[in-house]
Amino acid sequence: MILTVTPNPAVDLTYTVDELDVGESHRVAAPAARAGGKGINVARVIAQTGGRAFALTTAGGPAGLRIADDLTASGLPHEVVPVAAQTRSSVAIVDSTSGLTTIFNETGEALSSAEWTALRDAVTRLAVPAACIVGSGSLPPGAPDDFYAELVVLAIARGIPSIVDAVGPGLLRAAEAGVSVLKPNRRELAESTGENDPVTGARLLLGRGAGLVIVSLGADGMLAVGPSAEPIQARLPEPLHGNATGAGDAAVAAVAGLLAAGVTDPETILRRATAWSAAAVLAPLAGELDPSYPQLEDHVIVTR
């Protein structure tokens, strides 16, 4: 079982418009609404591809009830830690003409110290049967910078791999704790390390203790940088257009599934992460893959 931890979930609202005209009024159909947040999306993709995932998250207020109800209805194994803070929303606007998606992410609200303790206790308990731990997404305001690092330390103590997809101090602390894989995108990597070159930034994280760094490069594919080999880049022959929301989460799901199965070869991991990320772009909602994901993996181009 792969345990995903999402401290700052969201109700994902996805609107689709024929063409986004900034500054103008748009008439739209009701949005698709579902429980979201990076770790929840990762768990959904693992389940869709035949793996076993368990989603641990927080939820509070009416939006939190919506999160809990949706997870129950989906059949995804999960546990919700109740919190007083209202669960945030995330709005994605998909422009059908350009193929671009514009996203508005609320920051979320702070959790109390008692709520952080409850979340930590749940992680410790659920890690017992886990084969891999994934910490994904933004942390709410006032969160301890070392929360994701604590997940890494727990994983190491249990002899299982860990993956963190975060930004800022949370990403850096996870590296220092010895995380197996970090998965930022190009912007998050630059923001966290101060380095605009992805290879330089990735090597900085390796120097802090990370085992492997995989960087999402958008239309340019993905990059893998490890401690003992030259950087590897992977891409499809042509960029795909669609809803890129959740593409990075699909990549994390691919990495988690392989690590849980004992696969550690960077090229194998990068190839599948790239294919699943692309398949997520073709799917209508975050947390889903287009059925073509096995075929896409066969078409991935890897260069060194």
Side-chain angles (χ1 to χ4, degrees):
M1 179 268 285
I2 296 168
L3 173 63
T4 72
V5 184
T6 311
N8 199 23
V11 174
D12 281 349
L13 304 172
T14 303
Y15 292 88
T16 301
V17 298
D18 291 334
E19 185 173 5
L20 180 61
D21 192 357
V22 177
E24 297 298 326
S25 177
H26 300 74
R27 188 174 298 278
V28 296
R34 70 190 311 185
K38 284 181 172 294
I40 292 174
N41 293 338
V42 171
R44 288 186 192 275
V45 171
I46 292 170
Q48 179 189 340
T49 53
R52 293 180 60 235
F54 192 100
L56 174 64
T57 189
T58 63
L65 293 175
R66 196 172 185 179
I67 291 265
D69 288 345
D70 182 66
L71 287 174
T72 299
S74 73
L76 183 70
H78 67 279
E79 182 173 324
V80 172
V81 176
V83 297
Q86 169 82 1
T87 295
R88 67 194 177 109
S89 294
S90 175
V91 178
I93 303 174
V94 181
D95 185 325
S96 300
T97 300
S98 68
L100 298 176
T101 301
T102 302
I103 302 173
F104 298 88
N105 286 322
E106 295 179 3
T107 57
E109 299 180 20
L111 306 185
S112 70
S113 59
E115 289 163 349
W116 280 113
T117 297
L119 182 58
R120 289 187 180 98
D121 289 346
V123 172
T124 301
R125 170 170 42 82
L126 293 168
V128 174
C132 180
I133 299 178
V134 177
S136 268
S138 64
L139 293 170
D145 290 342
D146 61 352
F147 177 75
Y148 283 143
E150 292 177 6
L151 303 188
V152 174
V153 170
L154 177 61
I156 292 172
R158 297 204 57 78
I160 59 176
S162 57
I163 308 167
V164 170
D165 181 5
V167 63
L171 186 78
L172 299 177
R173 301 292 182 271
E176 292 164 358
V179 67
S180 304
V181 178
L182 290 176
K183 213 299 297 168
N185 62 33
R186 189 201 304 258
R187 177 188 57 77
E188 292 166 341
L189 181 63
E191 181 180 335
S192 301
T193 66
E195 297 287 350
N196 289 322
D197 176 63
V199 174
T200 303
R203 284 180 171 153
L204 188 151
L205 295 176
L206 293 175
R208 285 177 174 258
L212 178 68
V213 180
I214 295 180
V215 187
S216 296
L217 302 175
D220 294 326
M222 304 192 79
L223 174 74
V225 184
S228 59
E230 58 186 328
I232 310 169
Q233 187 165 346
R235 60 177 178 83
L236 288 174
E238 299 292 336
L240 301 178
H241 298 287
N243 181 5
T245 313
D249 305 329
V252 171
V255 176
L258 288 172
L259 290 184
V263 178
T264 58
D265 175 60
E267 183 172 331
T268 302
I269 291 172
L270 184 65
R271 183 181 294 276
R272 179 159 298 179
T274 302
W276 286 21
S277 179
V281 172
L282 297 177
L285 299 174
E288 296 180 359
L289 298 185
D290 184 84
S292 65
Y293 68 90
Q295 291 73 40
L296 289 173
E297 189 168 345
D298 293 334
H299 292 89
V300 172
I301 300 169
V302 176
T303 57
R304 295 180 181 270

